[in-house]
Amino acid sequence: MKKRNKLKILNDPIYGFITIPNELIFDLLEHRYFQRLRRISQMGLSYLVYPGAHHTRFHHALGCMYLMQKAVRVLGFKGVTISEEEEEALYAAILLHDIGHGPFSHAMEHSIVNEVNHESISLMFMEKINEEFNGSLTLAIQIFKGEYHRNFLHQLISSQLDMDRLDYLKRDSFYTGVAEGNINSERLITMLTVVNDELMIEEKGIYSVEKFLLARRLMYWQVYLHKTSIVAENLLIRVLQRAKELVEKGTELPASRALAFFLENIITPDNFTPEVLDTFSRLDDYDIVSAMKEWMNVEDFVLSKLSSMIIDRDLLKIKIKKKPFEKEKEKKQIHKISKKYKISNEDARYFVFGGTISNQAYHQNKQNINILYKSKKILDIVKATDEYNLEALSKPVTKYFMCSPKYKH
C-alpha cells in the first residue's frame, strides 16, 4: 500500500502557505470532528451585516496553528527551549481549542444545551480523540487545561494575548473589510519573550500591543456587537427556544436527526454522555438554516415569523443607549404587538425584548499583558504605556438595548 504524504501545504488568504508540521496534526485535520468546523461559521450571523464574513472555524483554527508555529520559532531563537513533544502538543491544543463550538457559535449555548459551554465540549472532543489516538493528545490536553508545569505554554493558547486572539482579529477584519481590526500579529509574535515561565512582550513591542487592544475594542463595537448582529443572534436564540418549547408540548417539527435530538431532550453537563457528544458532532450551521427554512411554513405564528425574519433578513429594529430602558416602554410595546399580531402577551415577548452588551478590551489583574524593559523591569501594559486610553480600555463599558418590530405605515 502506498504511504500517504501527510506533510501537506495549505493556502491561506491572510498568511499565504501554511505547512502541516507532522503526521499527528495531519490526522487531527482529517478527523471528522475537525472537518465539521468547515460547516460552522466563525462569526455566526455577522454575514447579514458584512457580506464577506463567511469564513469558518476551520479557517481560524488553521490560522492559529500557523501563528503558533511562528511563536515557537521566535521563542526558540531567543533561547526558550521547547521540546518536540511540547511543540507538537501546542499545535494540537491550539488546533482543537474551538472544536466544541456549536452552530452559529454562541446562540446554541443559550437555547439548546443548558449550561454547557463550548470550552467544556472542546475538552470532551479532545479526550475522545485522545482515546482514538492512543493517548497522543495527553500533553496537549494538560497544556490546554493549564495543568502543565510550564505556564507560558498555556498562555500561548489562552491569555489576553494568545494565538487565538491574534488570528481572529486579523481574520475577522480581513473578511468583514473593517480595517480597524487589522493588527500586525506577526510583529507582536516577534516581540514575544518568556521570563520566569511567564509570557511577555519586549519593550519595543509596546505600540503594537496598544494597537492590538485598541483594535480589539473597535472590532467589538463595530463588528461583534454591531446592532444588527445583536438582533440576528437574539432572534436565532429565540427561534431555537420556541422550537424546543413546541416540541416539549408535543408538536412535531421538521428537523435533521441531530437537531431533533437536542430539541427533544434536555441536555445538561450531567447527561452530556459520549453518545450525546457524537450526536453534537453531527450538528452544524446547515441543520439550523435548513430547519428555519422549513419552520417558516409551520402553523405556529411565533416560530414561522421568527424564522422568516432571519431567512429573509427582515429583522427587528433595535435601540441602544447607555441607561436601562423603562419597563413601561417594554410593556407598551408588548401590548401593541399582541394586538397587532393577535397573539398573547407571553408570545409577544418573543418580538419585544431587551438586554445588555458589554465591551472590555483589557482585563487588568487577569493574566496581564506584561512588558519587559531592557533594564529587566516588568510592567503591566496599562502602567507601561503613555496612552491614557488604555486605562479606559480596561474598564467595562455596558450598554442597554431593546428590540421590537418595525412598523410599516
Side-chain angles (χ1 to χ4, degrees):
M1 199 175 109
K2 191 163 168 274
K3 196 167 181 295
R4 288 185 67 188
N5 166 25
K6 294 188 172 184
L7 298 178
K8 299 234 182 271
I9 288 175
L10 300 156
N11 199 346
D12 181 73
I14 295 172
Y15 309 123
F17 291 114
I18 296 179
T19 318
I20 296 173
N22 58 44
E23 294 202 5
L24 171 70
I25 298 301
F26 180 86
D27 293 338
L28 286 177
L29 289 176
E30 292 272 276
H31 198 284
R32 67 182 186 84
Y33 289 167
F34 190 79
Q35 288 293 321
R36 162 182 167 271
L37 297 181
R38 292 182 184 271
R39 301 186 300 279
I40 303 248
S41 75
Q42 171 71 16
M43 292 178 61
L45 289 162
S46 291
Y47 60 78
L48 293 175
V49 182
Y50 296 102
H54 273 289
H55 55 305
T56 63
R57 298 252 161 215
F58 185 88
H59 269 133
H60 163 61
L62 283 171
C64 291
M65 185 193 69
Y66 168 82
L67 293 180
M68 188 64 88
Q69 288 172 300
K70 208 167 169 58
V72 166
R73 273 200 303 277
V74 164
L75 293 174
F77 282 138
K78 295 183 184 176
V80 180
T81 49
I82 296 174
S83 71
E84 268 181 45
E85 291 77 23
E86 288 170 340
E87 183 178 343
E88 185 175 75
L90 275 175
Y91 299 153
I94 194 70
L95 204 56
L96 303 178
H97 77 283
D98 267 352
I99 198 169
H101 268 289
F104 295 109
S105 302
H106 302 287
M108 277 292 291
E109 294 170 28
H110 299 292
S111 51
I112 281 198
V113 288
N114 298 38
E115 311 297 316
V116 190
N117 59 20
H118 67 268
E119 289 89 356
S120 50
I121 301 175
S122 291
L123 204 50
M124 287 185 239
F125 274 132
M126 283 164 133
E127 279 158 358
K128 183 83 169 52
I129 299 171
N130 197 27
E131 282 169 32
E132 290 172 33
F133 284 26
N134 305 322
S136 52
L137 293 183
T138 305
L139 182 56
I141 291 170
Q142 271 187 318
I143 293 173
F144 180 77
K145 287 161 83 173
E147 290 171 358
Y148 189 59
H149 64 89
R150 304 187 78 189
N151 187 41
F152 78 91
L153 297 177
H154 174 70
Q155 289 175 321
L156 285 166
I157 292 161
S158 176
S159 63
Q160 296 207 67
L161 192 62
D162 55 26
M163 299 307 111
D164 174 34
R165 290 180 182 191
L166 289 182
D167 182 78
Y168 78 65
L169 283 174
K170 195 168 178 63
R171 189 166 299 277
D172 296 350
S173 138
F174 176 89
Y175 281 97
T176 54
V178 175
E180 284 79 357
N182 187 10
I183 52 165
N184 192 343
S185 38
E186 311 212 19
R187 157 119 182 134
L188 277 159
I189 289 171
T190 311
M191 296 294 126
L192 286 175
T193 187
V194 175
V195 180
N196 302 334
D197 203 33
E198 293 287 324
L199 207 56
M200 41 194 76
I201 293 277
E202 292 170 354
E203 179 183 355
K204 55 183 181 232
I206 208 163
Y207 302 118
S208 304
V209 177
E210 287 178 4
K211 166 89 165 57
F212 162 77
L213 291 174
L214 199 57
R216 197 172 137 74
R217 173 176 178 270
L218 295 172
M219 283 294 281
Y220 267 85
W221 284 136
Q222 231 172 314
V223 178
Y224 310 126
L225 298 175
H226 186 288
K227 60 189 179 62
T228 309
S229 299
I230 292 166
V231 175
E233 184 162 310
N234 273 283
L235 282 173
L236 181 57
I237 289 168
R238 281 159 178 78
V239 164
L240 295 170
Q241 282 170 345
R242 181 63 169 191
K244 203 167 167 64
E245 197 180 293
L246 292 172
V247 168
E248 276 167 13
K249 287 180 184 158
T251 310
E252 278 193 26
L253 289 179
S256 68
R257 194 178 292 178
L259 180 56
F261 172 82
F262 284 97
L263 292 175
E264 287 158 15
N265 297 283
I266 293 172
I267 300 299
T268 64
D270 303 329
N271 63 0
F272 210 104
T273 60
E275 293 71 38
V276 173
L277 185 71
D278 208 58
T279 309
F280 185 86
S281 77
R282 300 282 180 205
L283 201 57
D284 55 51
D285 292 5
Y286 293 75
D287 298 68
I288 308 291
V289 172
S290 54
M292 287 192 293
K293 285 166 69 180
E294 292 295 319
W295 295 346
M296 285 163 74
N297 307 313
V298 295
E299 261 177 48
D300 181 71
F301 172 80
V302 174
L303 184 60
S304 91
K305 183 81 176 152
L306 290 171
S307 300
S308 55
M309 279 180 167
I310 295 178
I311 295 292
D312 300 336
R313 199 190 177 283
D314 183 13
L315 306 170
L316 298 170
K317 70 170 193 262
I318 179 171
K319 284 192 172 135
I320 298 182
K321 53 186 218 175
K322 290 179 180 163
K323 292 198 180 82
F325 288 84
E326 303 98 49
K327 278 274 162 251
E328 265 316 295
K329 205 166 182 182
E330 200 173 309
K331 271 189 195 156
K332 264 189 197 154
Q333 287 281 17
I334 286 170
H335 184 62
K336 209 167 173 183
I337 291 304
S338 70
K339 260 176 68 175
K340 183 177 158 82
Y341 291 150
K342 301 181 180 56
I343 53 176
S344 68
N345 278 357
E346 211 40 56
D347 285 353
R349 286 179 194 283
Y350 275 99
F351 302 98
V352 180
F353 51 83
T356 59
I357 47 175
S358 180
N359 186 357
Q360 185 173 5
Y362 182 62
H363 296 257
Q364 262 179 302
N365 313 323
K366 187 181 156 199
Q367 289 213 331
N368 300 11
I369 299 176
N370 284 327
I371 304 293
L372 173 71
Y373 285 84
K374 286 198 181 70
S375 64
K376 301 280 180 276
K377 183 171 71 166
I378 295 167
L379 276 183
D380 176 86
I381 179 66
V382 172
K383 305 243 175 7
T385 176
D386 49 12
E387 175 66 74
Y388 297 117
N389 288 354
L390 283 202
E391 186 76 58
L393 287 189
S394 62
K395 293 184 174 49
V397 177
T398 300
K399 293 184 183 179
Y400 300 83
F401 68 83
M402 190 163 128
C403 301
S404 57
K406 299 169 181 159
Y407 292 105
K408 295 185 171 68
H409 296 294

